[in-house]
Amino acid sequence: MKNLIIFDLDGTLAKSKSPIDQEMSELFQRLLEVVQVAIISGGDWPQFEKQVLDQLPKNTLLEKLAILPTCGTKFYQYHQEWDKLYAENFTDEERKKILDSLNKALEASDLDIKKTWGEQIEDRGSQITFSALGQQAPLEEKKGWDPDFVKRKKVVEHLKTPLKGFSIGMGGTTSIDIVKPGIDKAYGIRKLNEILGLGIAEMLFIGDALFEGGNDYPARKTGVDCMQVRDPEETKSIIQTIIMCSKEPEISK
């Protein structure tokens, strides 16, 4: 058994930008009773509050939960309240370079976007995220736009040269995440190793985008054991199995 279970958020614990459902909330509470847990996602801190933390039962063992927003560029732990341990924010020069390159890449990619809901580009301090249909797009609209990642791959190809060294990943249903050079989910896992004092062999990473180019893929670079899931329902089954395997067997009299 592992001592730390690491999850992606969108597509793994919840539908894109949606709160975890009641069943997941209860399973998550039970999981924290038997093992330490971390979540690494492209979303910023407010997304974690809305999607996960506000949904958990009041007696959840938050001290055993680590939160790593924006693909691990930030790290939060709970000590009576949530404390931010670090934030790898962009410099003004880096931010300008990313935004200029992204706008040029979008123009060159000639994406077929008929309607947007809210802003497409969001500056999260330590991560810049492009959401093709906008930050508030309905899930049903997003699911059908780029299910095979072909449209986003065109944008990423145009970004590789001008943003060489930066970490570029495709996450969720319509988004592209850009973070500092050398900082991605692998960086977040190494920070968990350093801060929690747990070895890579003691960890398990669970995500829906572990394929090459997906924003979970960098986790593989650490050597951590990984499990690819289709959706939150499959994640629930894995959590149930972990909880069952973690229970001490009853001794027959």
Side-chain angles (χ1 to χ4, degrees):
M1 282 303 299
K2 302 294 185 178
N3 293 318
L4 175 65
I5 311 298
I6 309 166
F7 295 97
D8 167 53
L9 179 50
D10 282 351
T12 301
L13 290 174
K15 294 178 181 179
S16 181
K17 292 197 174 179
S18 301
I20 59 173
D21 63 26
Q22 185 174 346
E23 183 184 13
M24 182 67 80
S25 170
E26 292 170 357
L27 283 170
F28 212 77
Q29 179 193 28
R30 290 169 56 200
L31 182 64
L32 283 163
E33 292 174 358
V34 298
V35 70
Q36 292 189 75
V37 176
I39 310 174
I40 306 179
S41 172
D44 207 352
W45 175 251
Q47 271 315 117
F48 282 86
E49 288 186 301
K50 172 188 169 185
Q51 290 184 254
V52 180
L53 301 178
D54 290 350
Q55 314 305 320
L56 294 176
K58 290 185 178 179
N59 57 342
T60 300
L61 296 174
L62 297 177
E63 292 83 358
K64 294 176 69 177
L65 176 62
I67 300 290
L68 286 78
T70 52
C71 293
T73 58
K74 300 177 184 178
F75 194 118
Y76 288 81
Q77 274 188 311
Y78 189 83
H79 305 104
Q80 296 185 319
E81 62 182 10
W82 286 102
D83 297 326
K84 182 166 65 177
L85 274 63
Y86 68 79
E88 304 284 359
N89 290 331
F90 292 122
T91 63
D92 290 341
E93 184 179 351
E94 288 172 329
R95 183 173 289 104
K96 184 179 185 305
K97 182 177 182 179
I98 292 168
L99 292 173
D100 288 347
S101 300
L102 181 55
N103 282 313
K104 288 177 183 176
L106 293 173
E107 187 177 343
S109 300
D110 192 26
L111 298 177
D112 180 24
I113 300 174
K114 295 180 174 62
K115 182 178 179 181
T116 60
W117 290 262
E119 295 294 324
Q120 288 179 296
I121 298 175
E122 182 183 6
D123 182 353
R124 298 174 178 173
S126 58
Q127 175 179 295
I128 288 175
T129 295
F130 167 70
S131 298
L133 302 186
Q135 296 293 327
Q136 282 80 49
L139 180 57
E140 288 307 310
E141 294 286 344
K142 294 195 294 183
K143 281 166 64 177
W145 185 76
D146 188 28
D148 52 7
F149 292 81
V150 170
K151 294 176 183 177
R152 279 174 287 173
K153 282 177 181 176
K154 287 198 295 185
V155 180
V156 171
E157 282 301 315
H158 287 295
L159 290 172
K160 282 182 178 178
T161 299
L163 296 183
K164 185 177 180 180
F166 284 83
S167 295
I168 306 167
M170 294 175 285
T173 49
T174 66
S175 63
I176 297 171
D177 301 320
I178 304 167
V179 296
K180 274 179 174 281
I183 298 182
D184 50 25
K185 289 188 178 178
Y187 179 87
I189 289 171
R190 294 187 188 105
K191 279 293 187 180
L192 287 165
N193 168 233
E194 174 189 324
I195 292 169
L196 301 183
L198 294 171
I200 297 297
E202 298 178 80
M203 305 177 185
L204 172 66
F205 181 89
I206 300 170
D208 70 315
L210 281 160
F211 50 85
E212 189 167 0
N215 68 352
D216 294 330
Y217 184 75
R220 294 191 184 276
K221 296 188 296 185
T222 66
V224 70
D225 287 339
C226 296
M227 292 188 71
Q228 170 89 26
V229 293
R230 293 184 304 272
D231 52 34
E233 293 306 310
E234 187 170 12
T235 302
K236 289 176 185 177
S237 297
I238 293 170
I239 292 175
Q240 288 170 334
T241 301
I242 293 170
I243 292 169
M244 288 178 61
C245 292
S246 298
K247 289 181 178 179
E248 294 185 8
E250 292 184 10
I251 301 173
S252 57
K253 296 181 180 179

